[in-house]
Amino acid sequence: CRVAARRTKATLLALPKAKTENESQMTKDALQMIKTAIHAVDPFVAVSNRMRIQDDGSNLDGSSKSQLAVEQQSGGAQLKYDLENYNTIKIFSFGKASAAMAMAAAKIISDAYPKHLEGVVVIKDGHATSKEIQTMNEEYNIVVRSASHPIPDERSVAAANEILQSAYDSDEKTLVIACISGGGSALFCSP
């Protein structure tokens, strides 16, 4: 009987206490802050928040000219590129967030740029879904390569060489966009 009483008392002590209304609100607020913070650092969201297509309406015939605008810092200056000046846009992305960053950039650009889009993305093994890889290949003409992280391997060197060769083959009518995240030094390794 004594053992049963001890177990019952221990069970009661382990039960969570009822929260006050203020404690419940604080819990909701804390969870919302965590959700907002995670959303803010999502690589797809981060690129989408900094890159956009703008129409400046500057053509004499009344049509607008599409520009790729990239915000450098929160509230900072923007870099602007007139898309009509380019025949090709290449996206090179490497790092642990490379797939999401390249997907965001490709989606933004492809919606307004009817010309040739291509690129190379280097991901850490397993850091992109098969759907993401298929979308990048089929919809955006972006090749996805896997490499080792944190220790570079021969695939890291091969992927780096592929990106470097494509960059060297570019001309003044090619806009090159580089998306680099943590882990990039292992995934893009050119000794």
mmCIF file of all heavy atoms in Angstrom, residues 50-52 54 67-72 76-82:
data_model
loop_
_atom_site.group_PDB
_atom_site.id
_atom_site.type_symbol
_atom_site.label_atom_id
_atom_site.label_comp_id
_atom_site.label_asym_id
_atom_site.label_seq_id
_atom_site.Cartn_x
_atom_site.Cartn_y
_atom_site.Cartn_z
ATOM 1 N N ARG A 50 15.056 39.156 -51.345
ATOM 2 C CA ARG A 50 16.126 40.061 -51.805
ATOM 3 C C ARG A 50 16.178 40.223 -53.323
ATOM 4 O O ARG A 50 16.848 41.104 -53.821
ATOM 5 C CB ARG A 50 17.488 39.541 -51.346
ATOM 6 C CG ARG A 50 17.615 39.412 -49.873
ATOM 7 C CD ARG A 50 18.279 40.620 -49.323
ATOM 8 N NE ARG A 50 18.583 40.382 -47.914
ATOM 9 C CZ ARG A 50 18.494 41.321 -47.026
ATOM 10 N NH1 ARG A 50 18.138 42.519 -47.365
ATOM 11 N NH2 ARG A 50 18.762 41.058 -45.777
ATOM 12 N N MET A 51 15.514 39.357 -54.060
ATOM 13 C CA MET A 51 15.600 39.373 -55.519
ATOM 14 C C MET A 51 14.200 39.508 -56.103
ATOM 15 O O MET A 51 13.287 38.795 -55.694
ATOM 16 C CB MET A 51 16.261 38.067 -55.993
ATOM 17 C CG MET A 51 16.433 37.963 -57.486
ATOM 18 S SD MET A 51 17.142 36.364 -57.974
ATOM 19 C CE MET A 51 18.843 36.565 -57.480
ATOM 20 N N ARG A 52 14.052 40.414 -57.079
ATOM 21 C CA ARG A 52 12.743 40.565 -57.709
ATOM 22 C C ARG A 52 12.907 41.111 -59.119
ATOM 23 O O ARG A 52 13.946 41.680 -59.459
ATOM 24 C CB ARG A 52 11.826 41.443 -56.894
ATOM 25 C CG ARG A 52 12.241 42.879 -56.741
ATOM 26 C CD ARG A 52 11.473 43.666 -55.684
ATOM 27 N NE ARG A 52 11.329 43.032 -54.401
ATOM 28 C CZ ARG A 52 12.256 43.028 -53.436
ATOM 29 N NH1 ARG A 52 13.390 43.624 -53.629
ATOM 30 N NH2 ARG A 52 12.043 42.425 -52.305
ATOM 31 N N GLN A 54 11.596 43.880 -61.714
ATOM 32 C CA GLN A 54 10.910 45.173 -61.737
ATOM 33 C C GLN A 54 10.757 45.612 -63.184
ATOM 34 O O GLN A 54 11.650 45.409 -63.994
ATOM 35 C CB GLN A 54 11.709 46.235 -60.978
ATOM 36 C CG GLN A 54 11.876 45.956 -59.515
ATOM 37 C CD GLN A 54 12.744 47.008 -58.821
ATOM 38 O OE1 GLN A 54 13.536 47.691 -59.440
ATOM 39 N NE2 GLN A 54 12.583 47.101 -57.512
ATOM 40 N N GLN A 67 13.850 44.498 -65.257
ATOM 41 C CA GLN A 67 15.136 44.543 -64.579
ATOM 42 C C GLN A 67 15.125 43.535 -63.447
ATOM 43 O O GLN A 67 14.115 43.367 -62.764
ATOM 44 C CB GLN A 67 15.392 45.923 -63.971
ATOM 45 C CG GLN A 67 15.597 47.024 -64.957
ATOM 46 C CD GLN A 67 15.911 48.334 -64.247
ATOM 47 O OE1 GLN A 67 15.388 48.610 -63.183
ATOM 48 N NE2 GLN A 67 16.774 49.132 -64.851
ATOM 49 N N LEU A 68 16.270 42.897 -63.264
ATOM 50 C CA LEU A 68 16.468 42.058 -62.104
ATOM 51 C C LEU A 68 17.046 42.962 -61.025
ATOM 52 O O LEU A 68 18.089 43.581 -61.227
ATOM 53 C CB LEU A 68 17.430 40.907 -62.413
ATOM 54 C CG LEU A 68 17.803 40.009 -61.229
ATOM 55 C CD1 LEU A 68 16.576 39.266 -60.714
ATOM 56 C CD2 LEU A 68 18.898 39.036 -61.631
ATOM 57 N N ALA A 69 16.350 43.074 -59.910
ATOM 58 C CA ALA A 69 16.810 43.908 -58.798
ATOM 59 C C ALA A 69 17.192 43.007 -57.644
ATOM 60 O O ALA A 69 16.436 42.122 -57.255
ATOM 61 C CB ALA A 69 15.718 44.881 -58.374
ATOM 62 N N VAL A 70 18.384 43.246 -57.110
ATOM 63 C CA VAL A 70 18.882 42.460 -55.985
ATOM 64 C C VAL A 70 19.242 43.423 -54.873
ATOM 65 O O VAL A 70 20.090 44.289 -55.035
ATOM 66 C CB VAL A 70 20.116 41.618 -56.379
ATOM 67 C CG1 VAL A 70 20.591 40.783 -55.200
ATOM 68 C CG2 VAL A 70 19.812 40.744 -57.584
ATOM 69 N N GLU A 71 18.566 43.279 -53.742
ATOM 70 C CA GLU A 71 18.833 44.121 -52.587
ATOM 71 C C GLU A 71 20.073 43.601 -51.873
ATOM 72 O O GLU A 71 20.145 42.425 -51.527
ATOM 73 C CB GLU A 71 17.627 44.092 -51.647
ATOM 74 C CG GLU A 71 17.715 45.060 -50.503
ATOM 75 C CD GLU A 71 16.457 45.020 -49.635
ATOM 76 O OE1 GLU A 71 15.360 44.883 -50.187
ATOM 77 O OE2 GLU A 71 16.622 45.107 -48.423
ATOM 78 N N GLN A 72 21.017 44.489 -51.649
ATOM 79 C CA GLN A 72 22.276 44.077 -51.020
ATOM 80 C C GLN A 72 22.121 43.793 -49.540
ATOM 81 O O GLN A 72 22.644 42.833 -49.021
ATOM 82 C CB GLN A 72 23.349 45.132 -51.230
ATOM 83 C CG GLN A 72 23.785 45.231 -52.670
ATOM 84 C CD GLN A 72 24.919 46.211 -52.835
ATOM 85 O OE1 GLN A 72 25.591 46.573 -51.890
ATOM 86 N NE2 GLN A 72 25.133 46.647 -54.050
ATOM 87 N N GLY A 76 19.149 48.401 -47.835
ATOM 88 C CA GLY A 76 20.336 48.912 -48.509
ATOM 89 C C GLY A 76 20.106 49.151 -49.988
ATOM 90 O O GLY A 76 18.997 49.042 -50.498
ATOM 91 N N ALA A 77 21.175 49.460 -50.684
ATOM 92 C CA ALA A 77 21.125 49.731 -52.112
ATOM 93 C C ALA A 77 20.745 48.485 -52.892
ATOM 94 O O ALA A 77 20.920 47.362 -52.425
ATOM 95 C CB ALA A 77 22.486 50.245 -52.576
ATOM 96 N N GLN A 78 20.217 48.725 -54.096
ATOM 97 C CA GLN A 78 19.870 47.621 -54.970
ATOM 98 C C GLN A 78 20.803 47.604 -56.169
ATOM 99 O O GLN A 78 21.176 48.659 -56.695
ATOM 100 C CB GLN A 78 18.439 47.766 -55.491
ATOM 101 C CG GLN A 78 17.375 47.410 -54.512
ATOM 102 C CD GLN A 78 16.010 47.383 -55.187
ATOM 103 O OE1 GLN A 78 15.800 47.941 -56.252
ATOM 104 N NE2 GLN A 78 15.068 46.731 -54.547
ATOM 105 N N LEU A 79 21.163 46.406 -56.584
ATOM 106 C CA LEU A 79 21.845 46.221 -57.856
ATOM 107 C C LEU A 79 20.756 45.935 -58.877
ATOM 108 O O LEU A 79 19.836 45.153 -58.606
ATOM 109 C CB LEU A 79 22.813 45.037 -57.773
ATOM 110 C CG LEU A 79 23.899 45.121 -56.709
ATOM 111 C CD1 LEU A 79 24.667 43.809 -56.643
ATOM 112 C CD2 LEU A 79 24.844 46.275 -57.007
ATOM 113 N N LYS A 80 20.838 46.577 -60.050
ATOM 114 C CA LYS A 80 19.814 46.373 -61.076
ATOM 115 C C LYS A 80 20.464 45.966 -62.380
ATOM 116 O O LYS A 80 21.491 46.532 -62.780
ATOM 117 C CB LYS A 80 18.983 47.638 -61.266
ATOM 118 C CG LYS A 80 18.139 47.969 -60.054
ATOM 119 C CD LYS A 80 17.235 49.149 -60.315
ATOM 120 C CE LYS A 80 16.390 49.433 -59.071
ATOM 121 N NZ LYS A 80 15.475 50.535 -59.289
ATOM 122 N N TYR A 81 19.860 44.985 -63.026
ATOM 123 C CA TYR A 81 20.364 44.460 -64.289
ATOM 124 C C TYR A 81 19.220 44.460 -65.299
ATOM 125 O O TYR A 81 18.188 43.829 -65.066
ATOM 126 C CB TYR A 81 20.889 43.034 -64.105
ATOM 127 C CG TYR A 81 21.965 42.944 -63.049
ATOM 128 C CD1 TYR A 81 21.646 42.675 -61.722
ATOM 129 C CD2 TYR A 81 23.295 43.171 -63.384
ATOM 130 C CE1 TYR A 81 22.630 42.620 -60.751
ATOM 131 C CE2 TYR A 81 24.292 43.108 -62.420
ATOM 132 C CZ TYR A 81 23.944 42.838 -61.100
ATOM 133 O OH TYR A 81 24.924 42.794 -60.140
ATOM 134 N N ASP A 82 19.402 45.170 -66.433
ATOM 135 C CA ASP A 82 18.399 45.172 -67.497
ATOM 136 C C ASP A 82 18.454 43.834 -68.210
ATOM 137 O O ASP A 82 19.455 43.505 -68.861
ATOM 138 C CB ASP A 82 18.663 46.308 -68.494
ATOM 139 C CG ASP A 82 18.422 47.672 -67.881
ATOM 140 O OD1 ASP A 82 17.533 47.783 -67.020
ATOM 141 O OD2 ASP A 82 19.120 48.632 -68.276
#
